[in-house]
Amino acid sequence: MSRIQTRFERLRDQGRTALIPFITAGDPSPAMTLELMHRMVAAGADLIELGVPFSDPIADGPVIQRATERALAQGVSLRDVLGIVRRFRETDSETPVVLMGYLNPIEVMGNVAFAEAAREAGMDGALIVDVPPEESHDLVDAIKAQGLDLVYLLAPTSDAARIEAIAEVASGFVYYVSVKGVTGASTLDIDEVSAKLDTIRARIALPVGVGFGIRDAATAAQVARVADAVIVGSALVGRIETLAEQGQAARIPTVIGDFLDELRTAIDATDNGGQYG
Amino acid sequence: MATRADDLAQGVPPALTAAPYQWPDACGHFGPYGGMFVPETLMHPLTELRQAYERYLADPDFLRELDADLRHYVGRPSPVYHAERWSRELGGAQLFLKREDLNHTGAHKVNNTIGQALLARRMGKTRIIAETGAGQHGVASATVAARLGLECVVYMGEVDVARQEANVYRMRLLGAEVVAVKSGTRTLKDALNEAMRDWVTNVDNTFYIIGTVAGPHPYPAMVRDFQAVIGREARGQMVEQTGRLPDVVMACVGGGSNAIGLFYPFIGDTEVAMIGVEAAGDGLDTGRHAAPLCAGEPGVLHGNRTYLMEDANGQIRETHSISAGLDYPGVGPEHAWLKDSGRATYVAVTDDEALAAFHGLTRTEGIIPALESSHALAQAAKLAPTLRKDQSILINLSGRGDKDMQTVARMDGLQL
């Protein structure tokens, strides 16, 4: 059983919704990323999504794109990201880590080489934003051959046929994009999200995380009532950016930790647990 | 008895039937290239677009409307001009120019924006968005938006906004909003990223007019089909003027829309050589160029697999060309396939060579070409002397050079 599956099953047994923070690896520095990962786990993160910087992130909004640019300015590569995960694993063998990124840097490394290196580093899964189920079967095979999970996005516009196509290839969990738009976009409509999750759950047996548009404890709590996981990215990355720009990078782990504490508390207060399976 | 030439003069192949060449496949692949490498959020808009495109490109009423606009608004057919003096000077093959510079708005770009804007209207979209580098596609989009009464937003890298002031003003005069994109390298590729984000967010009322044969399926095929009017006309015109097909067809390649528009109707004519000319910038060996087919590797960018300029970590590299319209790190996937399959050949010419051709054509023929098109002219000037005088090269003069006055004057040390 994969680390992701184990984690979600334990959460379900406990009646809790997962909290999944996203940060861009290498922002504001690779050393800080490692520290942040541990701090986020201490603050109640159940799984970590680590963004791999790419020069042309079409699915991301301005906040995450700027994080990507800060990381790229320091030359952070896919291998460096795997190096961060390897060091994280030296002291944390339980928290699943999912890589979120774009295809081109992976292909340059080589599909099989990437999948092997990811497993050796202790990575648990990958969400490759620009690979729909129709494309890149070699990469999908290579990742699955290493026993890693493949996470896919679902959108408000994904119809039944697409949800079913994704159900066939997805493992670990699926990531429902709650708003039309890019990461960090406008506010979400919880009733719409809830209705869509019913459609998804009728076709996919995996846990469903909800992200894009979760900016504070209140939205996190709302989402927790309907989702199996609350995914928060731009709200974290925006805080990292503000502190880095103010020359207060040293405070980042504390501020991020406190913010996640707040989300965790709000989620736990309203929690009715995972509803998948 | 009807000769082959008579058949050709009358029977120019229809839009979508260059059989047996039948690319892309149902999923938008040209061999291993093309495809739909996009986030799930874009799958639905692309599917909706593909269905509309397939429906209307087989709809006689739509095709009549398109044809009437190309004739009366754009000014088609554009002439094929025998550049006799230039041919004599080079002392080899006869050079023919397909005069896309004479179109309304001064370049081939409008062939595609007219088509996509009419499609947008049929789909009930009230807002169009576009990305632009040099500003030519932005101007062509703003133009058709004005005519159809559609709201228009054009994304343009901050760097390009600064170096193409006249076109920015032109777009604003036409009623478009020009958004300066500040992310990444602040050039064309970043404008494309930003336009995709807008589209994902506003897809209910918005149509995204991509200006070249790149992007996810169906864009490469759809833009090709709208631009193929260039080659269809030119094929008939060459037969009419010379009694046979040209020996070589040639065009500059940035994203590659003017080139594919010229090449596509000739793909089945295996005796016609097809040569695409990329921007070698300061020279391929300097790394400062925009020639992914000549000096890049296959990869995935902007929703399709194609040749790219990338670094050792798979990050997209900054490009360089004197011509903003060729300054793009990728290229249409069909060109990648034509290169690998050997049907077309791709070469690159430097900024200096393109500038020399720019001056050459201006002085010998009284035609001021766009710097983009000057790349094709430069290659033609190299090739012509190696061919016989009874052979011919058809070059796509994709745009006029008025927009490049400042750039060229600056090379001469002048400030206009």
Side-chain angles (χ1 to χ4, degrees), chain A residues 78 103-111 136 139, chain B residues 37 298-300 305:
Chain A
L78 178 54
L103 178 58
N104 204 53
I106 293 174
E107 285 203 344
V108 166
M109 189 168 170
N111 292 340
S136 292
L139 175 59
Chain B
F37 292 88
V300 172
R305 184 183 298 286

Side-chain angles (χ1 to χ4, degrees), chain A residues 53-62 65 69 72 75-78 102-108 129-136 153-159 162 166 177 179-182 185 212, chain B residues 27 29 34-45 47 182-185 189-190 192-194 196-198 200-204 298-303 305 308 310-317:
Chain A
F54 179 52
S55 53
D56 294 81
I58 53 172
D60 288 300
Q65 170 149 31
E69 287 171 10
L72 288 177
V76 174
S77 68
L78 178 54
Y102 294 80
L103 178 58
N104 204 53
I106 293 174
E107 285 203 344
V108 166
V129 180
D130 54 353
V131 176
E134 291 86 345
E135 303 282 3
S136 292
L153 294 175
L154 284 166
T157 49
S158 304
D159 60 18
R162 284 209 64 77
I166 285 165
V177 174
V179 292
K180 280 184 192 164
V182 291
F212 283 40
Chain B
C27 299
H29 297 109
M36 296 174 87
F37 292 88
V38 292
E40 179 61 21
T41 44
L42 272 171
M43 284 314 264
H44 176 75
T47 304
K182 297 177 172 64
S183 56
T185 58
K189 78 176 178 68
D190 307 287
L192 212 148
N193 293 337
E194 207 59 38
M196 285 215 189
R197 292 178 183 130
D198 179 314
V200 169
T201 310
N202 302 302
V203 62
D204 291 340
V300 172
L301 174 69
H302 291 152
R305 184 183 298 286
L308 298 178
E310 62 187 3
D311 68 15
N313 292 320
Q315 307 295 345
I316 306 308
R317 275 176 46 199

Side-chain angles (χ1 to χ4, degrees), chain B residues 322-342:
Chain B
I322 191 173
S323 134
L326 302 183
D327 214 349
Y328 178 66
V331 62
E334 191 161 14
H335 287 295
W337 175 232
L338 290 173
K339 171 190 159 80
D340 282 14
S341 65

